[in-house]
Amino acid sequence: MATQDFGMRGLGPAVVAGLAFAAGALAALTVRQRHHDELVLRIATMERDDRKAALTEQQRFQFSLLCKAMDDADLAAVYSTVQIDSPTQRRQYLFAHGMYTNALLAYRTGVVNWEELHGHLRVICMNPIFRDYWRVHTDHRASLRDDSEEARVGRMVDGIIQDLDEADTDEWWVVGEPPTEQG
C-alpha cells in the first residue's frame, strides 16, 4: 500500500516559487493597505483640525465686529436687524448673541460635548434678556437648514426654554434632559 504525500515534495519548483511570490505579495499588500489607512486617517484629522482652525478664526473676526458694534451705536444698528427699544437693549442683545455663538463654537470645535453644551445653554437661558433676544430672533433661525448643527443647537435652546417655562421647581439646574445628539 502506498502512502500519499500531500507535502511540498510533490510540487514542482515553479509552483513553490509561485506560492512564495503570492505570500510575499499578500504581505506587501497588507502593509500597503495599513499604510493607506493610516494616511486616510491622518488626512481626515488634518481636515478636521483645519475646520476647527477656520471656525476659530471666523469667531475671532465675528467677535471683533461684535466689539465694534457694542462700542458704536451707529455700527450696532447695522449689526442687528431687529427692532430695539434702546441702545442699551441693542448692546444687551449683541452680548447675548456673543454668548450664544461662543457656546456654539465651543461645541463645534469639540471643547464641550453635547451634554456639556446643554448645561451651558441652560445657564444662559435662565437670563430673561437672553430669552427675549432668542424670541425676537426666531425668524433669523427659520432660514437655517433643519439638519445643520446650528439648527439642532437652536432646537435644543428652544427645548430648554420650554422646559424652564414649564418647570414646577426653582431648581433650574435639574430641569430638562439633554436631547440626543441627533435630536
Side-chain angles (χ1 to χ4, degrees):
M1 175 148 83
T3 351
Q4 293 183 341
D5 184 5
F6 294 105
M8 300 290 258
R9 264 186 298 205
L11 300 176
V15 174
V16 172
L19 288 173
F21 176 77
L26 184 58
L29 184 61
T30 301
V31 169
R32 189 173 191 77
Q33 182 64 42
R34 189 176 305 130
H35 182 67
H36 176 265
D37 292 347
E38 289 171 0
L39 288 175
V40 167
L41 180 61
R42 192 176 306 157
I43 289 169
T45 300
M46 289 172 63
E47 287 174 348
R48 187 182 65 245
D49 291 347
D50 285 350
R51 181 173 187 274
K52 286 181 181 180
L55 282 169
T56 301
E57 185 59 30
Q58 189 276 333
Q59 184 70 17
R60 280 190 192 113
F61 182 67
Q62 185 76 13
F63 180 72
S64 172
L65 292 174
L66 179 65
C67 288
K68 288 178 183 184
M70 289 180 71
D71 290 341
D72 184 328
D74 294 333
L75 296 178
V78 175
Y79 196 94
S80 177
T81 59
V82 296
Q83 290 294 338
I84 304 295
D85 295 333
S86 69
T88 298
Q89 185 182 39
R90 185 175 307 278
R91 281 193 308 279
Q92 289 171 335
Y93 281 10
L94 291 173
F95 192 78
H97 176 72
M99 290 174 59
Y100 169 72
T101 57
N102 184 59
L104 179 62
L105 177 70
Y107 172 68
R108 285 179 165 169
T109 57
V111 173
V112 299
N113 64 30
W114 191 249
E115 188 175 316
E116 292 166 329
L117 176 63
H118 181 268
H120 289 297
L121 291 173
R122 185 168 42 197
V123 172
I124 293 170
C125 289
M126 284 300 299
N127 186 288
I129 295 169
F130 179 84
R131 285 180 181 216
D132 194 47
Y133 153 81
W134 193 256
R135 182 188 52 75
V136 299
H137 286 87
T138 300
D139 292 340
H140 292 92
R141 291 188 306 281
S143 65
L144 297 172
R145 275 190 7 249
D146 277 349
D147 63 340
S148 71
E149 254 179 353
E150 190 168 357
R152 288 193 313 269
V153 173
R155 287 190 296 273
M156 180 195 290
V157 172
D158 291 340
I160 291 169
I161 291 172
Q162 182 178 350
D163 288 347
L164 290 169
D165 286 346
E166 294 172 355
D168 59 354
T169 180
D170 291 335
E171 296 175 344
W172 59 267
W173 56 92
V174 297
V175 172
E177 290 295 321
T180 62
E181 186 129 12
Q182 286 72 33

